[in-house]
Amino acid sequence: MIYNLLDKDHPMVHLRMEEGNQPEDKVEFSKDMAESMKTWGGIGLSANQVGFPYRMFVMGDGKNYMSCYNPKITVESDTLVPIDEGCLTYPGLFVRILRPDRISVEFEDEFGEVHKDDLEGLMCRVFQHEMDHMDGIDFTSRAKKLHLDMAKRKVKRAKLKLKRAHGKDMLARAS
Ligand SMILES: [Zn+2]
């Protein structure tokens, strides 16, 4: 089952998800979350982005995914790295954000097994981004104003281009 993404202004997107809230069938729910993530073209998706008040997210590439219930970051490195981050809740917006380059994490999978992992690279970044969703934190609030403004202007330009292209198409059809 594919879940639809909530609008960025939906209150659930901005709420902290509590640890106690979990779906009845975690295996099934994880599958649906992974399928939804793949469908919408993401590499991470949090339950509250699609309307479920659970402290859980999935991350991966669609084929392989990790399902994280009650996730925690236990250690963060002091070294911050800039990466252009996107979010399924904000289509087309990519903003430069500084975050630790290594973290240690803990979570339970859909079978109830506890995992402890050290993450770096892309997975490290995705875990931190999804962790923010768990706490109702908007990733744009972590960006510098300059970088956010630049990213927003890019989205605007892309939309305008699309509008113009569409307008031409309508003209072509009319003639
Ligand atoms: Zn996101």
Side-chain angles (χ1 to χ4, degrees):
M1 184 171 186
I2 312 291
Y3 301 132
N4 284 322
L5 290 157
L6 296 180
D7 186 82
K8 67 173 170 49
D9 297 321
H10 194 287
M12 196 186 283
V13 176
H14 306 284
L15 274 181
R16 184 185 188 275
M17 296 295 111
E18 300 301 331
E19 309 228 331
N21 294 344
Q22 296 197 351
E24 229 164 81
D25 188 339
K26 289 189 200 167
V27 176
E28 200 56 35
F29 185 69
S30 298
K31 271 186 205 158
D32 289 343
M33 283 292 291
E35 204 183 338
S36 306
M37 173 177 72
K38 192 177 160 192
T39 302
W40 301 122
I43 48 174
L45 180 66
S46 291
N48 57 331
Q49 284 182 279
V50 289
F52 294 91
Y54 307 141
R55 197 165 178 85
M56 83 78 73
F57 59 77
V58 289
M59 53 190 256
D61 60 8
K63 261 193 249 159
N64 303 299
Y65 66 88
M66 234 161 75
S67 183
C68 307
Y69 288 87
N70 293 334
K72 276 187 207 97
I73 295 175
T74 51
V75 185
E76 286 180 355
S77 78
D78 295 329
T79 310
L80 304 180
V81 283
I83 295 184
D84 287 350
E85 249 174 65
C87 179
L88 288 178
T89 303
Y90 290 81
L93 188 71
F94 291 91
V95 194
R96 178 152 306 180
I97 292 172
L98 282 169
R99 295 190 194 264
D101 69 341
R102 282 160 197 250
I103 53 172
S104 300
V105 303
E106 261 183 56
F107 62 92
E108 291 159 36
D109 65 21
E110 63 268 56
F111 306 103
E113 195 178 320
V114 177
H115 296 263
K116 291 183 183 184
D117 266 329
D118 299 318
L119 302 179
E120 53 179 27
L122 186 61
M123 288 294 110
C124 170
R125 178 55 62 129
V126 176
F127 199 100
Q128 292 180 76
H129 178 100
E130 299 310 321
M131 218 39 228
D132 273 352
H133 279 302
M134 300 290 93
D135 295 328
I137 296 170
D138 197 306
F139 81 122
T140 57
S141 72
R142 294 206 183 268
K144 280 189 183 159
K145 194 181 175 302
L146 167 78
H147 292 144
L148 187 58
D149 287 347
M150 271 164 51
K152 280 184 177 167
R153 274 203 297 277
K154 247 189 195 168
V155 176
K156 245 188 208 163
R157 276 203 299 274
K159 275 189 187 158
L160 208 65
K161 257 191 196 165
L162 214 64
K163 236 187 194 170
R164 282 197 197 120
H166 187 62
K168 269 183 206 157
D169 184 43
M170 298 300 277
L171 280 175
R173 257 187 251 168
S175 60

